[in-house]
Amino acid sequence: MLNSPYNRPWRRVFLALAAAAALSYGWYAYRMAPSGGTTMGLIYGVIGLVLILFLLFYAVRKRWHRCVYGKTEIWLNGHLYLGLLALLLVYFHAGFRFHELSGALAALLLTVVTISGVAGAVLYALLPRRLTEVESNAAPEDVAKEMNQLAERIYAMGRTKSQAFREVCQGLLEENAPAGWLGWRILFSQQGGSGASAGFRRLVEKVRTVPVSEQQEMQRVM
């Protein structure tokens, strides 16, 4: 996501504005004690408020499917960087000092919202790569029905075969049964849902022990 064509312009804009704001704050703090009641403090506060109000529109834009004012991805990147800039300006507005509980709590909540937004953007970029490998357009009940039918066919094919053949069939059914927290395990696994598990590799080794006369049928099962 950081290398996308929509991200780079917003990143440059953020770095330029953040640098300008930091330089102005340094000059301001050198001349007087920063406070929300000074002219510079009010300027930081007003700009931060305008940015926050603008950022709220993103919730509308991502549900406004017929909107012609830019792609959603452009708005997402702008939302991310302008949100960071707004947080910075709010702290500049207060001079990094909060004398009242309400102000400190508001700043804390804004910080939490900003950090959670950045984390959400990272997951937004990470999740599709990890989960689209197992994504399907079929309804969950249709997938469950198809899996049950396949399981019944595999069980029927192995019922009259050798012990090794039946063990492979049973292992396949157990290996492919959905487990709890499957989506999270796919997301955080090193292989990202691709690659054979240790259990599946053991099944492949077991296939070699199936009698030659049943190998063709074994291929159908696999």
Side-chain angles (χ1 to χ4, degrees):
M1 185 177 70
L2 290 175
N3 294 321
S4 72
Y6 303 118
N7 186 282
R8 288 190 290 272
W10 278 113
R11 186 166 66 241
R12 295 190 187 104
V13 169
F14 166 73
L15 291 175
L17 293 178
L23 289 174
S24 69
Y25 182 79
W27 172 81
Y28 159 56
Y30 176 77
R31 294 189 60 193
M32 66 186 71
S35 169
T38 63
T39 301
M40 287 297 294
L42 289 173
I43 291 175
Y44 292 132
V46 169
I47 297 176
L49 175 61
V50 170
L51 285 176
I52 291 172
L53 294 176
F54 177 76
L55 293 170
L56 291 175
F57 184 75
Y58 176 69
V60 177
R61 172 60 188 90
K62 67 181 180 180
R63 293 170 176 83
W64 187 1
H65 302 299
R66 295 186 179 182
C67 179
V68 295
Y69 303 114
K71 295 183 178 181
T72 307
E73 187 176 356
I74 298 176
W75 280 85
L76 172 62
N77 284 279
H79 183 81
L80 177 66
Y81 285 111
L82 292 181
L84 292 172
L85 183 61
L87 179 64
L88 182 66
L89 290 175
V90 166
Y91 277 94
F92 285 175
H93 160 70
F96 295 91
R97 292 192 297 270
F98 301 94
H99 303 290
E100 297 182 2
L101 178 61
S102 58
L105 183 59
L108 176 62
L109 291 175
L110 181 61
T111 304
V112 170
V113 169
T114 304
I115 293 174
S116 66
V118 173
V122 172
L123 287 177
Y124 176 84
L126 181 64
L127 276 168
R129 290 202 298 269
R130 290 295 181 90
L131 295 182
T132 49
E133 297 174 8
V134 294
E135 187 177 335
S136 172
N137 291 325
E141 55 270 19
D142 294 333
V143 175
K145 182 179 179 181
E146 184 176 353
M147 290 181 66
N148 287 330
Q149 291 174 346
L150 288 172
E152 291 173 0
R153 288 176 57 191
I154 291 174
Y155 177 77
M157 293 171 70
R159 187 167 47 191
T160 58
K161 299 297 189 296
S162 64
Q163 178 68 20
F165 195 105
R166 292 197 301 272
E167 289 179 0
V168 172
C169 290
Q170 183 64 29
L172 281 171
L173 295 176
E174 293 175 355
E175 179 71 17
N176 290 282
W181 304 95
L182 179 61
W184 290 106
R185 290 195 290 132
I186 291 173
L187 173 61
F188 291 109
S189 65
Q190 292 182 351
Q191 295 175 333
S194 61
S197 66
F200 189 81
R201 289 195 293 270
R202 286 195 296 269
L203 281 176
V204 173
E205 294 294 328
K206 191 68 176 178
V207 169
R208 298 175 182 175
T209 66
V210 174
V212 177
S213 60
E214 297 177 346
Q215 283 294 337
Q216 187 174 358
E217 195 74 4
M218 185 81 266
Q219 291 179 8
R220 290 183 58 199
V221 170
M222 297 297 288

